[in-house]
Amino acid sequence: MKPTARLVVLMAAGAPLSLTLILLDARLWPAGLIYAIGVAGLMAADLVLAPSRKQVKATLIRPGTMPIGDTSRIGINLTYPPDAQGAGDVVVDVTGPIPPLPSQSYLFDAAENQQFDLDLTPTQRGVVALQEIWLRWHGPLGLAWRTKRHPTQDTLPVIPNTRPIRRDGLRLGRRASFHGIKAQTDKGQGTAFDSMRDFVPGLDHRAIDWKHSARHRKLVCKEYEAERNHQIVLAVDTGRQMSEPISGIPRLDHGINAALLLAYVSLRHGDRIGLFNFDAKPGQYLDPVSRVQDFPILQERAARLVYSEVETNYTLGLVNLGARLRRRSLIVLFTEFVDTVTAELMIDNLRRLAKRHLILFVSLGDIDLRARLEAVPNQMEDAAAAVVAHGLAQERERVYERLRRMGVQCLETHDAALAVDLVNQYLDIKNRKLV
């Protein structure tokens, strides 16, 4: 039992009243005692009218998992006697990559149960622990709290966000879908010869077969089928720079979400997808898989990637990856750099790797740097900051230019467009037959 603010006000109001009566007449001193006893009696009556601890129960309704960056909902089902009177609050004690949850207020009514919904928006992958449900309530007079603690010891895993993958991946992968029992092939792409057909306006003139056209006395052209079975490796840097939050979510998780969408689309296009991560030393390596049914394996391995506080060692990581690959592959590297020293080490190792493989370098733009460049300077400090930002942006562009001269494909974009831009870049690489 704990006093409410209303009880404290009532007790505090009795002190000046009793003092005033004593100053008027010393024989009126029992009035203060009677007032205190009366307030105590009201508090006891409030406790009697309020439901007991055994009569109020709470159960938790939770989802199976929570995607990072999305809002998930947990429910609290509160049960109590039908004749209960009063009001109270409920709050869930949580720990993990999530802000504290607000309390929910309620009034006892004749419904005998109520359900409250709490929204959770995790900002990192990991485990959210739902430790306890705290309840407190008072009777109709609102003078004393009853409290109750419900231990839950429940956990919710925070996984990569695959909802956009299901939505966008199905739309992007329709051209690789199946109708009935006949496979739909992708015509007009790649270098694998498929058939001959009559030439019609709109087709590529370079596909005209002049020998067969002379023989048939009409224009005919070759039709090609899109190449499949390319090997793609998602190389994810899990070092310190990738733990920096962008729009409330670490760079690493933006990269994982985009990588999973690319993996889903690539599997539907018939390519093989592998996964590799590294920071100060090489991490896990998943041999390339080739079936859409293997996508949950990629998702589970991506969920294991942990946030690291150490600097990335490109030499150990990229040399280890190069030693594992036996055939030419498209390596999609998710990483970030901030200084020229780190960029030099990265470029030297990418140069050796680019001699055998095609590399797609993926990074998220520096939001603070872009904001400094776009801001209108109002003071000398703003102008100085803009000059420094411009210099850093030029250095960053020089790094990209050196990578492009080495044959590395570069993609720098913002977090909201990363997944779609990455898939478009992958499709462009396939259409240009670069792998």
Side-chain angles (χ1 to χ4, degrees):
M1 187 274 295
K2 293 183 178 179
T4 65
R6 182 178 299 179
L7 178 62
V8 173
V9 170
L10 286 175
M11 294 296 292
L17 178 61
S18 301
L19 183 59
T20 302
L21 292 175
I22 293 173
L23 291 176
L24 294 175
D25 190 343
R27 293 173 297 178
L28 297 178
W29 67 267
L33 180 60
I34 295 172
Y35 180 86
I37 294 174
V39 173
L42 291 175
M43 181 187 68
D46 193 48
L47 288 173
V48 171
L49 295 174
S52 66
R53 291 185 177 89
K54 292 183 179 180
Q55 293 176 316
V56 180
K57 298 179 181 179
T59 55
L60 195 65
I61 305 171
R62 45 150 287 182
T65 57
M66 293 192 300
I68 184 173
D70 271 10
T71 299
S72 301
R73 181 164 292 178
I74 63 172
I76 302 173
N77 190 28
L78 184 66
T79 59
Y80 46 83
D83 58 347
Q85 302 179 58
D89 301 313
V90 57
V91 67
V92 180
D93 187 12
V94 298
T95 58
I98 196 168
L101 297 179
S103 62
Q104 295 281 340
S105 301
Y106 58 89
L107 290 171
F108 292 121
D109 54 29
E112 300 185 22
N113 66 78
Q114 297 184 44
Q115 182 168 326
F116 307 95
D117 293 326
L118 299 175
D119 292 335
L120 294 80
T121 306
T123 56
Q124 290 184 352
R125 284 174 296 107
V127 176
V128 172
L130 307 173
Q131 295 183 327
E132 298 169 327
I133 303 175
W134 286 91
L135 299 171
R136 70 172 186 173
W137 65 93
H138 56 71
L141 301 179
L143 297 178
W145 292 111
R146 287 186 186 271
T147 59
K148 186 175 183 178
R149 179 176 66 93
H150 279 275
T152 58
Q153 300 300 325
D154 206 351
T155 57
L156 280 173
V158 182
I159 62 173
N161 192 349
T162 58
R163 291 175 182 172
I165 297 173
R166 297 190 186 98
R167 181 185 66 246
D168 300 334
L170 289 175
R171 184 175 67 252
L172 291 171
R174 281 175 184 169
R175 299 185 61 223
S177 62
F178 290 90
H179 303 277
I181 60 174
K182 182 179 291 186
Q184 176 183 344
T185 57
D186 292 334
K187 305 286 188 177
Q189 305 177 46
T191 58
F193 174 75
D194 181 69
S195 61
M196 303 290 294
R197 62 166 297 179
D198 293 339
F199 179 82
V200 295
L203 295 180
D204 190 352
H205 291 80
R206 294 173 297 179
I208 297 176
D209 190 313
W210 297 105
K211 182 183 293 186
H212 285 81
S213 298
R215 182 180 303 168
H216 294 281
R217 296 184 178 180
K218 62 178 180 179
L219 289 178
V220 294
C221 61
K222 293 181 179 179
E223 196 167 47
Y224 296 94
E225 181 181 353
E227 293 181 346
R228 296 175 180 268
N229 202 35
H230 294 305
Q231 181 165 287
I232 303 172
V233 178
L234 306 172
V236 182
D237 173 12
T238 56
R240 181 175 62 85
Q241 295 296 334
M242 294 295 285
S243 297
E244 178 188 4
I246 294 181
S247 300
I249 298 177
R251 291 178 183 267
L252 176 59
D253 290 297
H254 287 296
I256 289 174
N257 294 340
L260 288 176
L261 176 60
L262 174 62
Y264 186 83
V265 174
S266 300
L267 289 173
R268 291 185 64 89
H269 278 76
D271 292 330
R272 305 172 69 241
I273 303 293
L275 180 66
F276 174 74
N277 77 282
F278 63 101
D279 45 31
K281 58 183 180 180
Q284 62 175 332
Y285 176 76
L286 174 65
D287 288 322
V289 297
S290 57
R291 303 180 305 164
V292 177
Q293 293 83 349
D294 295 325
F295 178 75
I297 300 176
L298 284 164
Q299 181 181 347
E300 187 270 335
R301 289 295 187 93
R304 292 187 194 176
L305 300 183
V306 298
Y307 307 99
S308 177
E309 295 299 328
V310 298
E311 292 292 339
T312 301
N313 189 324
Y314 290 99
T315 301
L316 283 178
L318 297 181
V319 169
N320 183 274
L321 176 60
R324 292 177 181 271
L325 302 178
R326 303 302 180 189
R327 55 174 286 192
R328 177 174 170 82
S329 306
L330 169 61
I331 300 175
V332 184
L333 176 62
F334 298 87
T335 187
E336 186 54 52
F337 64 93
V338 291
D339 54 74
T340 55
V341 174
T342 304
E344 285 296 333
L345 295 173
M346 178 183 67
I347 291 172
D348 289 342
N349 288 279
L350 286 177
R351 180 181 291 109
R352 290 190 289 268
L353 199 61
K355 293 178 180 179
R356 291 187 54 203
H357 308 282
L358 178 64
I359 300 174
L360 174 55
F361 184 90
V362 182
S363 66
L364 288 172
D366 192 319
I367 295 180
D368 294 334
L369 185 64
R370 186 166 63 246
R372 289 289 187 182
L373 290 174
E374 296 176 353
V376 177
N378 296 319
Q379 300 177 353
M380 287 298 298
E381 292 81 2
D382 298 335
V387 171
V388 173
H390 181 70
L392 293 175
Q394 285 186 322
E395 290 187 6
R396 194 175 181 89
E397 184 57 35
R398 281 195 289 268
V399 171
Y400 287 125
E401 185 60 32
R402 292 180 61 184
L403 291 173
R404 294 187 187 100
R405 288 200 299 267
M406 292 160 37
V408 175
Q409 304 294 310
C410 298
L411 174 62
E412 183 183 29
T413 183
H414 57 89
D415 55 290
L418 176 60
V420 174
D421 288 349
L422 179 61
V423 171
N424 288 335
Q425 187 85 359
Y426 156 76
L427 296 175
D428 181 65
I429 288 173
K430 285 179 67 74
N431 292 336
R432 292 164 60 194
K433 314 174 188 65
L434 297 179
V435 183

